[in-house]
Amino acid sequence: MQAILLVGGFGTRLRPLTLTTPKQMLPVLHRPMLEHAVSGLARHGVDRVVLALGYQDDAFRAAYPDGRCAGVELCCVVEPEPLDTAGAIRFAFGASGMDASGGTFLVANGDVITDLDTDEMLRVHRSAGAEATIHLIEVEDPSRYGVVVTDPDGRVSAFLEKPQPPAPSNWINAGTYLMEPSVIDRIGPGRRVSVEREVFPAMVTDGALWALRRNTYWVDAGTPQTYLRVQLDLLDGRRGPAVAGVSADASVDPEAVIERSVVMAGAVVGAGSVVRGSAVHSGAVIEAGATVLDSVVGSGATVGRGARVTDGTLVGERFEVAPGSALSGARVPQGV
Ligand code: GDD
Ligand code: MG
């Protein structure tokens, strides 16, 4: 099975972290987000992943120079300009040498981390005779997602991307799709086309779109809150055995307090500092007496002595937070 992974977005909700690193190359625990997505696909028989690249494509190629990731062959294709989700699927399909003879293929949003069983999804897709099947997950607040209504047999009767509340359903598009090659013919060439706003609604009209409801482990790691949550879930053992958050290659003063946090290789945490519910990227420095709560400190950044960084603050790569200062829910450098 081949998969197209959509990884060409600008990651605006994670700025400033994504100004220097594309979203799917940001670390989740100690590996790039991309590797979590690719290994999830590899567990279910995907042996070739086409990366649909755009923004900062070089960062991906530099990280996987031998064209392999999590035991899977990677094929990198770069859009000449952002073509949106469906435009990217069409472009990646053609540019990577896929064709109709390859049969059913997978597509996934590159910021989705899930334990979905795509083998089961394939069985449902085949028995329904679907042209495309999408994974649905149930959420409390569907407003920032694609909202999906289905018939009792699983056929999709409505697909509404980020609708105004009240949404007609709490089941949302979880960003993993199985597609027949004929879907490609539905996508106009060489222009921006959204799979969510254009292609899926047209397929609903034709009765060709099906869905699998599965409340498996699932996070779209594309916001500051969810980017942290997907890492804390791993620390808390919510996806299997709990894993250690502090790298053996980090330098942590014995008088620092670190709770439920990721501290990456080369980071330095000074005496009397407190790091809780946060991610401290490689080479970042938390100086003595500083506090970091529910926040992300980008690689090589510094939180100065006694400073407080709290409530979902994102500190950009190599930024220096002044000693004694306080940042709450901030993004620094500002204006990004
Ligand atoms: N190659 C390429 N080109 N990739 C793109 C482009 C593009 O022009 N635009 C976006 N992407 C990639 C992003 O990098 C991301 O991995 C994926 O497509 C989805 O884009 P997001 O920006 O993360 O979308 P979203 O989270 O607001 O909404 C999507 O995901 C939700 C589930 O997480 C939609 O598919 C919703 O319907 C869905 O509910
Ligand atoms: Mg997303």
Side-chain angles (χ1 to χ4, degrees), residues 255-332:
E255 282 171 42
V257 175
I258 298 183
E259 286 175 16
R260 279 186 88 223
S261 294
V262 178
V263 179
M264 293 174 198
V268 177
V269 183
S273 57
V274 176
V275 178
R276 192 174 291 137
S278 297
V280 177
H281 287 183
S282 56
V285 178
I286 312 301
E287 291 185 350
T291 302
V292 179
L293 305 181
D294 307 319
S295 295
V296 181
V297 181
S299 58
T302 301
V303 177
R305 284 180 92 83
R308 285 180 60 82
V309 168
T310 61
D311 290 320
T313 293
L314 303 182
V315 179
E317 195 174 313
R318 287 192 293 275
F319 186 81
E320 294 186 12
V321 177
S325 60
L327 297 172
S328 172
R331 291 165 189 246
V332 286

Side-chain angles (χ1 to χ4, degrees), residues 4-14 18 21-28 31-38 40-41 49-52 60 85 107-115 135 137 144-146 161-162 172-177 196 217-231 233 239:
I4 295 173
L5 206 51
L6 299 173
V7 292
F10 293 105
T12 47
R13 286 164 291 192
L14 282 174
T18 45
T21 305
K23 173 164 66 175
Q24 295 84 2
M25 286 307 297
L26 287 173
V28 165
R31 311 184 282 158
M33 187 185 297
L34 179 80
E35 290 187 31
H36 295 263
V38 172
L41 296 173
V49 170
V50 178
L51 295 184
F60 294 86
T85 43
V107 176
N109 287 343
D111 56 358
V112 162
I113 296 176
T114 180
D115 291 334
H135 171 215
I137 199 113
R144 78 169 193 90
Y145 299 106
E161 182 67 10
K162 302 184 178 121
I172 58 121
N173 166 27
T176 303
Y177 321 128
E196 298 90 348
Y217 181 83
W218 179 88
V219 176
D220 170 341
T223 69
Q225 196 196 22
T226 58
Y227 173 59
L228 274 173
R229 193 201 309 144
V230 74
Q231 300 181 73
D233 284 348
R239 286 183 74 196

